[in-house]
């Protein structure tokens, strides 16, 4: 088993990565939690595949379980569902001495984390992520949020789990497009910080071969994210590096009203576009764009930038959260495996988009 320790200013927690760890969850939790009941928050898809395994595992360790099941999908990260979760926690008479488990993808994780952080000013929680995106990204780092009508992830806070248990065997039931969505972030981690990981995926040379070494890939990605989070817990500097491909990626997602591309697909296009331009501007070593394109293609991620109204895309990208006053922070590759922050005035954004 591989364990990564997150050492933060006020908390310390372990991130466990191991196929089959779900079956041993009960015994791991007994060393973290001495109470007798646990709330499991999940979505209906995860419940259908793994709900009874989770119950069995927790009951076998003597815990009584309460389930809160939300509908699957991004629209569940809402104030309405947050309210629903608060009411269910109250009904189950949960208090700060109890434990909540988030059991699902990033949607369940973000909603559960925010509910856990705010209900009674904080109930301890554990993350058991079930999508690739959540296993290598959203389940660690402490960011929690819900969406508001005016925009995504606008109400949230930093609140860390007591532990994260990542079981890559849960990915076997993931729809192909959801799996591939998460791979875009793995490519990102390799590109910004780990040339060896990038090369390993490239040498695998097929989606199937990448999938067969996913446990190691997840471990490496979590190690990289954890390193950036430790350096910059509240996302004010170093952690921006994790935003590679996201300024243009987010803009593409929004341009198509979140209908045409998944997050990972849009990030794939964002990484390619920024690297194509930064290479042309001699800000990135030659050949990086081609390598990136090759790996994204192996992962079956999109590599063709769609027809868009450039002015409209630029104005959406200029709204990026990582922009301050009139400047915007772009993440560029020095070469594959190495990245840096490049600040530009907003009006120069067109150099990277046109
Ligand atoms: N907090 C963070 O740092 C952070 C980072 C990245 C993304 N996010 C958030 O994560 C969310 C996206 O998360 P996601 O990509 O995991 O999507 P998701 O949670 O919507 O899950 C995708 C789909 O897969 C299903 N599913 C989940 N696990 C499954 C399994 N093992 N087998 C079969 N089906 C399964 C879900 O029911 C859902 O239909 C977004 O809201 C995003 O904002 C947060
Ligand atoms: Zn992302």
């Amino acid at each position: 088993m591989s364990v990564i320790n997150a050492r933060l200013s006020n908390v310390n927690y372990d991130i466990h990565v191991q196929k089959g760890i779900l079956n041993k969850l009960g015994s791991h939790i007994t060393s973290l939690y001495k109470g007798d009941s646990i709330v499991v928050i999940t979505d209906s898809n995860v419940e259908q595949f793994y709900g009874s395994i989770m119950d069995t595992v927790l009951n076998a360790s003597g815990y009584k379980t309460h389930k809160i099941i939300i509908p699957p999908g991004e629209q569940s990260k809402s104030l309405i569902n947050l309210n629903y979760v608060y009411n269910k926690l109250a009904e189950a008479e949960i208090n700060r001495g109890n434990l909540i488990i988030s059991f699902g993808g990033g949607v369940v994780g973000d909603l559960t984390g925010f509910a856990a952080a705010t209900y009674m000013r904080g109930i301890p929680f554990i993350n058991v992520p079930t999508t690739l995106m959540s296993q290598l990204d959203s389940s660690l780092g402490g960011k929690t949020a819900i969406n508001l009508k005016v925009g995504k992830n606008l109400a949230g806070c930093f609140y860390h789990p007591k532990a994260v248990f990542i079981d890559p065997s849960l990915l076997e039931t993931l729809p192909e497009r959801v799996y591939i969505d998460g791979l875009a972030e793995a490519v990102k981690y390799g590109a910004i910080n780990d040339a060896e990981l990038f090369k390993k995926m490239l040498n695998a040379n097929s989606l199937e071969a990448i999938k067969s070494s996913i446990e190691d890939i997840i471990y490496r990605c979590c190690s990289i994210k954890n390193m950036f989070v430790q350096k910059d817990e509240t996302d004010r500097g170093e952690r921006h590096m994790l935003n590679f491909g996201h300024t243009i990626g987010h803009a593409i997602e929004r341009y198509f009203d979140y209908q045409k591309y998944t997050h990972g697909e849009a990030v794939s296009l964002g990484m390619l576009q920024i690297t194509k331009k930064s290479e042309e501007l001699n800000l990135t070593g030659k050949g990086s764009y081609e390598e990136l394109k090759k790996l994204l293609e192996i992962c079956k991620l999109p590599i063709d930038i769609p027809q868009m109204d450039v002015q409209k895309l630029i104005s959406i990208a200029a709204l990026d959260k990582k922009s301050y006053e009139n400047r915007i922070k772009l993440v560029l590759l020095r070469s594959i495996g190495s990245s840096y922050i490049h600040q530009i005035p907003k009006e120069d954004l067109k150099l990277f988009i046109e």
Side-chain angles (χ1 to χ4, degrees):
M1 171 171 50
S2 307
V3 184
I4 299 161
N5 186 244
R7 289 174 191 279
L8 303 163
S9 51
N10 292 319
V11 282
N12 250 331
Y13 64 91
D14 286 336
I15 301 152
H16 305 254
V17 185
Q18 189 187 28
K19 276 192 178 160
I21 200 165
L22 178 62
N23 298 312
K24 298 178 222 149
L25 196 62
S27 55
H28 281 287
I29 289 179
T30 50
S31 63
L32 295 166
Y33 174 58
K34 304 295 171 208
D36 58 3
S37 64
I38 295 180
V39 177
V40 178
I41 305 184
T42 189
D43 76 21
S44 52
N45 288 336
V46 177
E47 172 64 16
Q48 184 202 328
F49 286 115
Y50 305 105
S52 63
I53 301 179
M54 180 60 102
D55 287 337
T56 307
V57 159
L58 295 179
N59 295 341
S61 291
Y63 295 114
K64 198 170 108 199
T65 50
H66 302 272
K67 272 266 166 73
I68 303 178
I69 303 170
I70 60 164
E74 185 67 28
Q75 65 284 0
S76 280
K77 261 172 64 173
S78 65
L79 269 174
I80 291 173
N81 266 318
L82 182 65
N83 190 40
Y84 173 76
V85 170
Y86 286 150
N87 283 326
K88 287 285 178 190
L89 293 174
E91 256 172 44
E93 299 182 355
I94 294 308
N95 59 48
R96 289 162 69 169
N98 292 117
L99 180 75
I100 297 176
I101 295 180
S102 159
F103 188 38
V107 165
V108 168
D110 278 8
L111 176 74
T112 302
F114 192 56
T118 47
Y119 190 70
M120 293 189 168
R121 300 194 183 85
I123 314 275
F125 86 112
I126 280 175
N127 263 330
V128 184
T130 63
T131 61
L132 185 55
M133 178 71 78
S134 57
Q135 294 196 345
L136 47 69
D137 189 348
S138 63
S139 64
L140 55 149
K143 282 191 188 175
T144 77
I146 57 160
N147 301 327
L148 301 180
K149 282 222 169 65
V150 280
K152 288 199 174 201
N153 297 322
L154 285 186
C157 63
F158 287 95
Y159 189 64
H160 294 279
K162 290 282 165 232
V164 182
F165 295 94
I166 299 173
D167 184 343
S169 56
L170 304 182
L171 303 177
E172 277 159 27
T173 49
L174 216 54
E176 182 94 328
R177 194 173 181 199
V178 179
Y179 197 111
I180 288 173
D181 182 45
L183 272 184
E185 304 286 352
V187 174
K188 176 194 79 178
Y189 287 117
I192 61 169
N193 195 259
D194 190 343
E196 203 183 296
L197 168 64
F198 193 96
K199 207 165 187 180
K200 177 187 163 119
M201 292 173 74
L202 202 57
N203 289 342
N205 207 21
S206 75
L207 181 56
E208 282 320 303
I210 288 175
K211 281 185 173 181
S212 69
S213 57
I214 203 67
E215 182 168 345
D216 181 52
I217 292 171
I218 292 168
Y219 175 78
R220 286 165 179 245
C221 292
C222 289
S223 305
I224 296 168
K225 175 152 184 184
N226 186 47
M227 183 260 298
F228 280 114
V229 171
Q230 287 181 160
K231 283 187 188 169
D232 176 19
E233 284 181 38
T234 53
D235 198 9
R236 288 170 197 280
E238 195 80 13
R239 194 164 165 177
H240 287 187
M241 220 67 90
L242 299 171
N243 218 35
F244 174 56
H246 280 61
T247 301
I248 297 176
H250 280 146
I252 294 176
E253 269 185 288
R254 276 183 70 166
Y255 184 99
F256 292 103
D257 251 342
Y258 299 96
Q259 301 300 314
K260 189 174 166 77
Y261 296 107
T262 64
H263 174 71
E265 289 166 357
V267 167
S268 169
L269 296 172
M271 292 190 288
L272 275 177
Q273 174 68 22
I274 200 89
T275 306
K276 184 166 185 243
K277 292 294 170 185
S278 65
E279 215 175 287
E280 282 170 18
L281 294 164
N282 283 324
L283 294 165
T284 293
K286 297 286 176 223
S288 310
Y289 169 74
E290 279 305 323
E291 292 251 286
L292 191 56
K293 192 165 146 191
K294 212 188 296 171
L295 181 52
L296 292 168
E297 207 169 4
I298 291 170
C299 295
K300 301 194 173 162
L301 280 154
I303 52 167
D304 295 317
I305 309 284
Q307 280 296 327
M308 284 176 283
D309 172 344
V310 172
Q311 277 316 316
K312 186 174 161 194
L313 188 67
I314 292 173
S315 54
I316 300 174
L319 300 172
D320 190 85
K321 275 190 278 185
K322 304 286 183 281
S323 69
Y324 300 93
E325 292 167 359
N326 205 31
R327 300 185 74 73
I328 193 154
K329 287 181 176 178
L330 294 178
V331 181
L332 305 182
L333 299 184
R334 223 171 260 117
S335 58
I336 295 293
S338 169
S339 51
Y340 66 104
I341 295 201
H342 182 63
Q343 272 211 39
I344 53 164
K346 271 189 187 169
E347 58 268 24
D348 284 0
L349 204 50
K350 60 179 182 300
L351 296 175
F352 293 86
I353 290 183
E354 271 171 352

